[in-house]
Amino acid sequence: MPYLREILTEGHPTLRKVAKKVDPAEIADPIFQQLIDDMFATMYDAPGIGLAAPQIAVGKRLFTVDLQDDEKPEAGPRVFINPKFTLWEGEIEAIEGCLSVPGMVGDVTRFSRVVCIALDRRGKKFSVDAGGLFARCLQHEMDHLDGILYIDKAKDLRPARTDEEVAEAEAVAAGAR
Ligand code: ZN
C-alpha cells in the first residue's frame, strides 16, 4: 500500500543538496518500488504534476510526472530514474509554482523542447521528446535533483493572488505551466 510522505518546504537543507545517482541494482528492491508508489500517491494527493525525491527527503535522482492530459498519453504516469537531457532547444517564459514553495508563483524561462533519457521502474532505459508543459515540468523536476528551486530562476516572484494563479499554483504545484 502506498502511503503519503511529507513534502519538504523551502528552507529544508535536503532541498538544496545534489541528489545521488540511483544504483540500477537497487531499482528491483521492494523498498525502492515502495518509494516510487509513495511518490505517485504523494504527488496526486498534493495535487501536483511532478514530484522529485528530494522533496520527500530522499536524496536520490528520481522524479515522478503525470500531466494528466488525455491528449498527451506520453506525458502520463512515469517515473524518471537517473534522468539526463540529451537535447535542449528553444526558449519560452511561463508561470511556475512548486509544492515546496506553497502559495507562490513566478515566471521562469525554460527550454521549449528537451529530450530526456532515464530508467523506468523496471530498470529499462527509455527516452522522451518533450515540448510545452511536459518539457517545463521535466526541467523543473531535474532542477530539484541538483538542489535548485524555481525561485532561484524566477522573475516577478509573487504570492498567487488571482483565482487563476491560485488554481495554477495548485495544479502545477510540483510541476509548472
Ligand atoms: Zn518543485
Side-chain angles (χ1 to χ4, degrees):
M1 279 289 287
Y3 71 99
L4 302 178
R5 308 271 190 121
E6 187 192 346
I7 297 175
L8 305 181
T9 52
E10 199 213 344
H12 195 290
T14 298
L15 288 174
R16 291 308 192 170
K17 287 191 184 131
V18 176
K20 294 203 167 63
K21 227 181 135 188
V22 174
D23 176 356
E26 186 193 352
I27 296 174
D29 191 314
I31 292 172
F32 194 85
Q33 293 290 315
Q34 176 78 42
L35 167 65
I36 296 170
D37 292 339
D38 290 353
M39 285 177 66
F40 275 111
T42 303
M43 178 179 81
Y44 291 131
D45 179 71
I49 60 171
L51 185 75
Q55 291 183 277
I56 56 161
V58 175
K60 294 182 180 177
R61 300 191 76 82
L62 75 152
F63 56 74
T64 53
V65 167
D66 184 357
L67 261 60
Q68 299 166 55
D69 181 346
D70 294 341
E71 283 164 24
K72 285 194 183 144
E74 77 278 8
R78 272 184 196 270
V79 59
F80 291 73
I81 301 166
N82 295 341
K84 251 187 223 158
F85 293 132
T86 57
L87 181 150
W88 43 91
E89 65 177 27
E91 204 178 86
I92 187 164
E93 184 186 285
I95 190 169
E96 247 173 76
C98 178
L99 291 175
S100 294
V101 190
M104 303 294 289
V105 292
D107 302 315
V108 186
T109 301
R110 301 278 191 189
F111 298 112
S112 53
R113 177 190 170 211
V114 292
V115 173
C116 186
I117 57 165
L119 300 178
D120 67 14
R121 67 183 302 160
R122 292 191 178 85
K124 269 190 76 176
K125 201 176 198 177
F126 70 96
S127 157
V128 293
D129 189 334
L133 178 58
F134 191 20
R136 178 166 293 271
C137 183
L138 294 179
Q139 292 168 79
H140 179 113
E141 302 312 330
M142 190 75 87
D143 275 353
H144 274 302
L145 305 185
D146 293 320
I148 299 164
L149 298 176
Y150 87 98
I151 52 174
D152 305 344
K153 301 179 167 181
K155 267 194 343 203
D156 192 19
L157 190 69
R158 56 200 186 267
R161 283 172 312 242
T162 65
D163 287 350
E164 193 189 338
E165 281 186 343
V166 171
E168 251 169 356
E170 281 167 1
V172 220
R177 172 168 286 236

